[in-house]
Amino acid sequence: MDKLIRKWWWKILAVVLMLYVVCAGLLFDVPRLVILNETIRVLHFHVPMWFGMILLLLASVVYAIKNLSNPSPKNDIYSLEFANVGVAFGVMGIVTGMIWANFTWGEPWSNDPKQNASAIGILIYFAYFILRGSIEDENTKARISAVYNIFAFAILIPLLFILPRLTDSLHPGNGGNPGFNAYDLDSKLRKVFYTAVIGWSLIGFWIATIRVRMRLVQHVTEQ
Amino acid sequence: MWAEVKYLFLKEVTLEWRQKYAFNGLLLFTVSTIFIIYLSLRVKNQAGLPDHLWNALFWIIILFSAINAVAKSFLQESPGRQLYYYISVHPISLIMAKMIYNSLLMVVLAVIAVVVYGTVLGYPVINTLMFASVVALASVGISSVLTMMSAIASKAGNNTVLMAILSLPLLIPILLLSIKAVKNAIDDLTWADTSDELITLAAVDCIGIALGYVLFPFLWKS
Amino acid sequence: MKHTLSIALFTTGMFLSTSLWAQEKHKIDENDYANQSVEMADGFRAEGKIYVVVAVMVALLGGFTFYVVRMDMKVTGLEKKVEEFLQGK
């Protein structure tokens, strides 16, 4: 990983994928669906925020586990910065989601499960930052926050995937539901969408690793 | 290990019995919350609350009583007793005993809350057995999450506010599930319609207990 | 034995929760692409104005990339400096 974060190939890949996503996302044929109309293209820019958040937070948890089994400042820094960028993705997901929801559902906050889920996720990681802030000792801070990180992630993620199902059952009838959640993506949309997910996630990891490296340099110079 | 858990559990009960003021304080807190809700919501005619509001307020009462009840499990332990635990018992036995004890405490509190709440604000639930099982499952889940958060907060300077901040977002999904399930109990839907929520609540309980089991020793190390 | 219990609990929990993931959805088919009943920005596209939007977004992406690359290079420079300093010591 230490080598990988200084390699260029995946960063170039990220930019190339994003170029493809911007062009294809705006130019390719999309299904003509009621209410959504052209805004279906938002799919390629908004939904990957959600996936990016989950992936970055997952990386944060992986480093939290590493930090518990093998405590080191480096693992803690990785864990913290992945969480940081993950939260940024979550905030962007919420904002873009509200804009889209305002158009399709008629109100910015319409109890959509994924909106609620990212809001809860963000609350948890804000609590995580506050927890970190309230502990003085570096070693204790790293260990306690790693425990919270793992606990929070493991207890929430399954629920976040279940909540959509439980909430959808409140609005019966897929035909009457104009939200995108009711549609199964076809191969044409999937091609661009998955590229977007990979591209956005790579961008997120890129920013996170830059922050990690800055902190590592800071950590070394402080000693 | 189980002998140790049993011993610690009985010790918690004895302590609670000796210091009745703590439990009485919790009771008073719950009852006064319910009374405040009753006084502030009192509608002109005696029709009572709409069902969904009854449901939501009930869970909010449970939530805040739970935070108060469980907060003391680690936050209010004296440093001397913490040291005693640290030397003499295995961390896993400690967290298991605390989780079991807090779950029971929660169930007792919930039962009392239901009785008082039902007396002053009405009791719209039709399927009481379903309601009871949801409350029991949710109590276990809520108290296992809160026990861990109380342990974390006690390591971060014994801060009750911190504990609330840490646990509230984690409890939202459990609350949403419970509210949904209790809505079914109020509307007298079949068990088959509620099985999803009940299974998920049971799953959360399992995950919460397992995580406490695995993660608590790391917390306890310092 | 020590961890079997917790692992068993955890997997049961995960299994129970994942068993509920399946969800019914509406399939998108060729019809959704071909229908003319839903209004889309066809005129806008026909006039080629969509390329303006694409150009703007590509430019933004370019600017963003430039900025991040600069930052990456700066950090690389800092890392080298620290490395040299440590070796010099």
Side-chain angles (χ1 to χ4, degrees):
Chain A
M1 193 70 186
D2 287 340
K3 291 237 169 57
L4 188 65
I5 63 172
R6 294 181 178 85
K7 288 272 189 302
W8 280 102
W9 62 266
W10 59 273
K11 298 166 185 172
I12 296 167
L13 178 70
V15 175
V16 172
L17 291 181
M18 285 314 300
L19 265 177
Y20 171 78
V21 168
V22 166
C23 298
L26 290 175
L27 295 174
F28 277 20
D29 267 351
V30 289
R32 307 167 76 95
L33 301 171
V34 279
I35 297 177
L36 285 171
N37 305 52
E38 290 279 0
T39 66
I40 192 174
R41 294 172 195 279
V42 175
L43 166 78
H44 308 306
F45 302 94
H46 156 66
V47 185
M49 292 292 130
W50 158 257
F51 279 81
M53 173 181 102
I54 296 282
L55 283 175
L56 284 160
L57 295 183
L58 185 67
S60 170
V61 169
V62 168
Y63 274 95
I65 294 172
K66 270 190 174 178
N67 193 32
L68 283 186
S69 60
N70 176 25
S72 79
K74 193 193 256 177
N75 286 337
D76 187 44
I77 288 172
Y78 271 105
S79 185
L80 170 65
E81 291 305 339
F82 279 132
N84 249 327
V85 181
V87 168
F89 266 59
V91 171
M92 288 195 285
I94 283 190
V95 172
T96 51
M98 276 161 72
I99 298 169
W100 196 15
N102 200 15
F103 175 80
T104 50
W105 292 320
E107 52 194 349
W109 202 277
S110 42
N111 217 8
D112 176 60
K114 287 204 167 66
Q115 269 186 334
N116 287 340
S118 31
I120 297 171
I122 284 167
L123 279 181
I124 285 181
Y125 281 87
F126 281 159
Y128 170 77
F129 297 135
I130 288 175
L131 175 66
R132 291 188 66 97
S134 68
I135 308 175
E136 293 286 328
D137 178 59
E138 288 295 326
N139 290 330
T140 324
K141 180 194 280 183
R143 201 178 57 247
I144 305 292
S145 59
V147 168
Y148 182 67
N149 196 343
I150 298 167
F151 192 88
F153 190 85
I155 212 158
L156 262 168
I157 294 310
L159 288 171
L160 297 190
F161 282 100
I162 294 165
L163 282 182
R165 189 200 135 87
L166 294 177
T167 319
D168 264 359
S169 60
L170 287 173
H171 308 281
N174 286 330
N177 187 347
F180 199 82
N181 286 334
Y183 291 107
D184 197 6
L185 298 190
D186 71 338
S187 57
K188 259 183 182 165
L189 281 176
R190 274 203 183 122
K191 214 163 50 189
V192 185
F193 175 65
Y194 287 146
T195 321
V197 168
I198 299 168
W200 278 115
S201 306
L202 283 177
I203 295 270
F205 275 86
W206 188 4
I207 297 170
T209 56
I210 290 176
R211 293 183 61 113
V212 166
R213 288 161 66 188
M214 279 206 268
R215 283 223 178 218
L216 285 174
V217 168
Q218 201 185 4
H219 182 75
V220 173
T221 51
E222 270 168 7
Q223 283 176 342
Chain B
M1 184 192 134
W2 289 112
E4 229 174 51
V5 173
K6 199 178 149 203
Y7 167 76
L8 283 168
F9 173 73
L10 288 176
K11 196 222 65 163
E12 290 276 334
V13 176
T14 333
L15 272 181
E16 192 76 73
W17 192 248
R18 280 200 203 132
Q19 314 180 318
K20 282 202 204 70
Y21 74 93
F23 184 71
N24 290 339
L26 281 178
L27 266 187
L28 192 58
F29 177 85
T30 312
V31 172
S32 10
T33 314
I34 295 171
F35 197 58
I36 289 172
I37 287 175
Y38 167 68
L39 288 179
S40 21
L41 280 180
R42 204 156 125 145
V43 273
K44 270 182 226 147
N45 54 11
Q46 292 298 309
L49 283 179
D51 290 349
H52 67 99
L53 207 57
W54 187 91
N55 192 357
L57 283 173
F58 173 71
W59 284 104
I60 290 169
I61 294 166
I62 291 287
L63 176 66
F64 283 95
S65 310
I67 290 178
N68 272 303
V70 184
K72 69 183 171 57
S73 67
F74 284 95
L75 287 179
Q76 286 169 21
E77 298 263 40
S78 64
R81 202 189 291 157
Q82 292 233 5
L83 189 67
Y84 166 71
Y85 284 146
Y86 185 67
I87 297 166
S88 53
V89 296
H90 196 272
I92 291 175
S93 322
L94 182 61
I95 189 75
M96 285 299 126
K98 293 255 187 200
M99 275 184 177
I100 295 169
Y101 172 72
N102 285 331
S103 305
L104 282 179
L105 182 67
M106 272 295 304
V107 172
V108 172
L109 265 182
V111 169
I112 296 169
V114 170
V115 172
V116 179
Y117 192 55
T119 320
V120 294
L121 283 162
Y123 183 73
V125 177
I126 294 173
N127 194 339
T128 301
L129 188 60
M130 192 191 279
F131 180 58
S133 45
V134 175
V135 170
L137 283 172
S139 298
V140 175
I142 290 173
S143 54
S144 60
V145 169
L146 282 173
T147 311
M148 271 303 277
M149 290 308 121
S150 159
I152 288 180
S154 79
K155 293 286 169 193
N158 274 341
N159 191 336
T160 321
V161 178
L162 184 66
M163 181 185 152
I165 297 173
L166 292 177
S167 37
L168 283 179
L170 291 179
L171 294 175
I172 296 173
I174 300 181
L175 282 184
L176 291 181
L177 281 169
S178 316
I179 289 175
K180 182 109 200 306
V182 170
K183 186 179 178 296
N184 287 358
I186 293 174
D187 295 345
D188 197 20
L189 298 185
T190 59
W191 284 88
D193 289 322
T194 324
S195 63
D196 282 2
E197 284 81 9
L198 290 174
I199 289 173
T200 321
L201 273 174
V204 178
D205 294 357
C206 290
I207 294 173
I209 294 168
L211 285 171
Y213 193 100
V214 175
L215 292 175
F216 186 71
F218 290 104
L219 270 183
W220 200 232
K221 259 200 280 189
S222 57
Chain C
M1 157 61 204
K2 196 169 150 260
H3 282 304
T4 19
L5 180 69
S6 65
I7 291 166
L9 272 175
F10 192 76
T11 32
T12 332
M14 286 296 177
F15 178 76
L16 283 177
S17 50
T18 46
S19 65
L20 304 170
W21 278 13
Q23 197 178 354
E24 279 170 34
K25 285 190 169 183
H26 168 80
K27 277 253 178 294
I28 290 174
D29 55 25
E30 280 308 307
N31 221 0
D32 287 319
Y33 283 93
N35 80 69
Q36 293 300 316
S37 58
V38 178
E39 198 185 329
M40 299 291 257
D42 294 322
F44 180 73
R45 283 167 192 285
E47 286 170 27
K49 282 181 185 160
I50 185 67
Y51 296 106
V52 180
V53 182
V54 175
V56 166
M57 286 187 68
V58 169
L60 279 175
L61 184 66
F64 168 80
T65 311
F66 177 74
Y67 178 72
V68 181
V69 167
R70 279 287 301 274
M71 222 151 59
D72 196 312
M73 294 200 328
K74 227 171 211 168
V75 175
T76 314
L78 275 176
E79 278 172 342
K80 275 201 184 117
K81 258 187 194 161
V82 169
E83 198 102 315
E84 278 166 17
F85 178 75
L86 285 179
Q87 274 171 358
K89 234 172 41 179

